[in-house]
Amino acid sequence: MAELNQAPGTASQDWVARSLRSVWHPCTQMQHHETVPLIAVSHGRGVWLYDHEGKRYLDGISSWWVNLFGHANRRINAELRDQLDTLEHAMLAGFTHEPVVQLSEQLSALTGGTLGHAFYASDGASAVEIALKMSFHYWRNSGRSEKQEFVCLEGSYHGETIGALAVTDVALFKDAYGPLLRAARTVASPDARLARDGETTQDVARRAAADVEKLFAERADKIAAIIVEPLVQCATGMAMHDPLYLTLIRELCDRYQVHLICDEIAVGCGRTGTFFASEQAGIWPDFLCLSKGISGGYLPLSIVLTRDSIYQAFYDRDVTRGFLHSHSYTGNPLACRAALATLAIFRDEDVLARNRTRAAQLNEALHPLADHPRVRNARQRGMIWAFDAIEDDADKAATFSRRFFAKAVENELLLRPIGRTMYLMPPYVLSDDETALLAERTLRTFEDVIAG
């Protein structure tokens, strides 16, 4: 097995070697770790992660978009310590507990009571599975069992489980498992980068919505739901679209009696500037999926909120009409307590207002990078900032992400591009100095990679 270029005998090298012998790392071609560094993290504090030798790395992507308020956040830590002494877990079938009730109430209140009856799981893909199954089963319970099809957007990503992968349109993740999947119908993406000459972002949104309308007009009697990542399609390369698209899709779903599922797993919890991305379009979906940031980046937790009319379709003496999906750790009290602490920080510290200032500072600091001749489509939505690298050499383009990651590590940054799309999605607790450092070293890393 190839070892990394680290000084022999270091604690980091030992943990890396043991990890490569025993752990299958996610979303990774493991052979790449013969040349791409694997970092053995010792501890975290604020926006920084530290290895065993004390070298630090600014977590510019919130550890896969989950961390909102920094590593080892004292407030969340205190809530979890208190919960540990009270109740670590109890099954949610036949039992309930304070954290899950309080969290469900508070999330519903954030939608003005439009959505509620929270259903809990652990990860984002599981939340998508739940929403898909609920929609399918709702139509069955309502006497319209012919409505079985799902619609997703070009370039959409909704998770790695079988149902979630079926409504994903990223070939890298999906193609190998095609024979296992039930095919979904795919419609045009409202990605603003697809604007034709003279088109605005709203023009792109209208054109993409027209594609949905055409499909609905032909097959709405067979379609259960359309699933959308509101405002930002993250895994396809931070493809951003105008809120008008969501407004138009909501109108079409109402007109043609199709459910709207909003996958806010990555874009919820303030990432786009509002707590729920859907709010920027003035709409609510029929199902809203949350995960990642909802627990502050502490514990696995995912949630599906839905409308009361959908809940009522399952409310019956007949057990077969009930929603029997289950997870052993559904509504785990520790995870719910972390989520309650996260919501309390939003409420007490006016996080959304503070983030507007921080997002503007980040954008200003990144102007030199946005103006770089090898950068195109620099874009921002709330606390998400992205650009596409111009890399004409095919071999270099294919390895851009890995080379950028390795060079960023040398510059004390944790950044992980998606193909040739480089993005920043940092925790909300960046200081002014850390914002400047992140911007300056991202530019330095990019110039080093492009020159290499």
Side-chain angles (χ1 to χ4, degrees), residues 132-150:
L132 296 174
K133 287 176 66 177
M134 278 185 176
S135 176
F136 178 95
H137 201 163
Y138 168 88
W139 293 116
R140 179 174 180 267
N141 282 357
S142 301
R144 302 191 64 183
S145 57
E146 72 280 3
K147 290 173 73 68
Q148 299 182 5
E149 297 179 0
F150 294 101

Side-chain angles (χ1 to χ4, degrees), residues 312-355:
Q312 289 298 328
F314 294 85
Y315 198 84
D316 197 277
R317 291 181 180 274
D318 184 353
V319 68
T320 65
R321 291 175 62 88
F323 190 67
L324 304 183
H325 189 102
S326 63
H327 291 262
S328 298
Y329 283 93
T330 292
N332 173 260
L334 286 165
C336 289
R337 189 70 179 271
L340 286 168
T342 297
L343 294 184
I345 294 172
F346 270 99
R347 182 180 61 248
D348 298 344
E349 300 183 15
D350 201 6
V351 170
L352 295 176
R354 191 177 65 194
N355 277 1

Side-chain angles (χ1 to χ4, degrees), residues 265-324:
I265 291 160
V267 298
C269 302
R271 283 291 179 196
T272 65
T274 48
F275 190 83
F276 299 112
S278 308
E279 294 178 72
Q280 295 183 45
I283 63 105
W284 293 113
D286 301 296
F287 301 92
L288 193 150
C289 302
L290 285 175
S291 190
K292 291 192 181 291
I294 190 59
S295 72
Y298 268 70
L299 290 164
L301 181 68
S302 64
I303 305 160
V304 178
L305 302 173
T306 192
R307 295 175 182 266
D308 191 61
S309 58
I310 292 173
Y311 172 80
Q312 289 298 328
F314 294 85
Y315 198 84
D316 197 277
R317 291 181 180 274
D318 184 353
V319 68
T320 65
R321 291 175 62 88
F323 190 67
L324 304 183

Side-chain angles (χ1 to χ4, degrees), residues 180-214:
L180 299 176
L181 307 178
R182 176 174 180 156
R185 298 192 175 271
T186 306
V187 292
S189 169
D191 181 355
R193 294 174 297 178
L194 301 175
R196 298 167 182 167
D197 288 346
E199 278 192 330
T200 66
T201 59
Q202 291 201 339
D203 291 332
V204 180
R206 291 188 184 94
R207 181 155 49 84
D211 194 46
V212 176
E213 183 170 16
K214 179 182 178 182

Side-chain angles (χ1 to χ4, degrees), residues 26-336:
C27 201
T28 299
Q29 170 48 265
M30 291 297 293
Q31 191 183 61
H32 290 166
H33 279 307
E34 292 183 2
T35 56
V36 176
L38 181 66
I39 309 301
V41 175
S42 168
H43 62 283
R45 190 76 64 207
V47 301
W48 297 95
L49 294 169
Y50 296 83
D51 68 16
H52 290 266
E53 281 67 57
K55 185 175 181 180
R56 64 180 190 170
Y57 309 90
L58 197 156
D59 190 353
I61 58 172
S62 298
S63 289
W64 253 347
W65 321 342
V66 301
N67 190 285
L68 301 188
F69 302 118
H71 298 281
N73 181 280
R74 291 182 179 180
R75 186 165 181 178
I76 301 175
N77 286 356
E79 294 292 324
L80 286 174
R81 289 190 186 98
D82 180 71
Q83 187 62 45
L84 275 170
D85 290 332
T86 305
L87 177 67
E88 81 299 340
H89 184 66
M91 63 187 290
L92 206 60
F95 293 86
T96 193
H97 50 78
E98 291 179 24
V100 77
V101 172
Q102 292 173 348
L103 180 56
S104 301
E105 291 173 342
Q106 290 185 29
L107 288 172
S108 180
L110 288 172
T111 73
T114 301
L115 304 176
H117 278 103
F119 198 99
Y120 289 83
S122 55
D123 58 276
S126 294
V128 170
E129 297 279 344
I130 289 163
L132 296 174
K133 287 176 66 177
M134 278 185 176
S135 176
F136 178 95
H137 201 163
Y138 168 88
W139 293 116
R140 179 174 180 267
N141 282 357
S142 301
R144 302 191 64 183
S145 57
E146 72 280 3
K147 290 173 73 68
Q148 299 182 5
E149 297 179 0
F150 294 101
V151 180
C152 64
L153 277 57
E154 291 177 351
S156 58
Y157 175 86
H158 298 288
E160 304 291 349
T161 53
I162 296 301
L165 202 56
V167 291
T168 285
D169 185 51
V170 180
L172 178 65
F173 301 120
K174 184 175 182 178
D175 282 1
Y177 310 103
L180 299 176
L181 307 178
R182 176 174 180 156
R185 298 192 175 271
T186 306
V187 292
S189 169
D191 181 355
R193 294 174 297 178
L194 301 175
R196 298 167 182 167
D197 288 346
E199 278 192 330
T200 66
T201 59
Q202 291 201 339
D203 291 332
V204 180
R206 291 188 184 94
R207 181 155 49 84
D211 194 46
V212 176
E213 183 170 16
K214 179 182 178 182
L215 178 63
F216 281 9
E218 295 171 354
R219 301 195 60 83
D221 59 333
K222 304 293 185 183
I223 296 171
I226 181 172
I227 183 167
V228 176
E229 299 162 85
L231 302 185
V232 187
Q233 293 178 256
C234 293
T236 196
M238 299 299 161
M240 301 182 185
H241 60 257
D242 194 280
L244 176 64
Y245 180 76
L246 300 175
T247 304
L248 296 174
I249 297 304
R250 176 71 272 177
E251 292 172 355
L252 291 172
C253 287
D254 291 340
R255 188 192 318 164
Y256 287 96
Q257 294 186 292
V258 172
H259 287 147
L260 173 59
I261 302 172
C262 279
D263 175 353
E264 298 223 9
I265 291 160
V267 298
C269 302
R271 283 291 179 196
T272 65
T274 48
F275 190 83
F276 299 112
S278 308
E279 294 178 72
Q280 295 183 45
I283 63 105
W284 293 113
D286 301 296
F287 301 92
L288 193 150
C289 302
L290 285 175
S291 190
K292 291 192 181 291
I294 190 59
S295 72
Y298 268 70
L299 290 164
L301 181 68
S302 64
I303 305 160
V304 178
L305 302 173
T306 192
R307 295 175 182 266
D308 191 61
S309 58
I310 292 173
Y311 172 80
Q312 289 298 328
F314 294 85
Y315 198 84
D316 197 277
R317 291 181 180 274
D318 184 353
V319 68
T320 65
R321 291 175 62 88
F323 190 67
L324 304 183
H325 189 102
S326 63
H327 291 262
S328 298
Y329 283 93
T330 292
N332 173 260
L334 286 165
C336 289

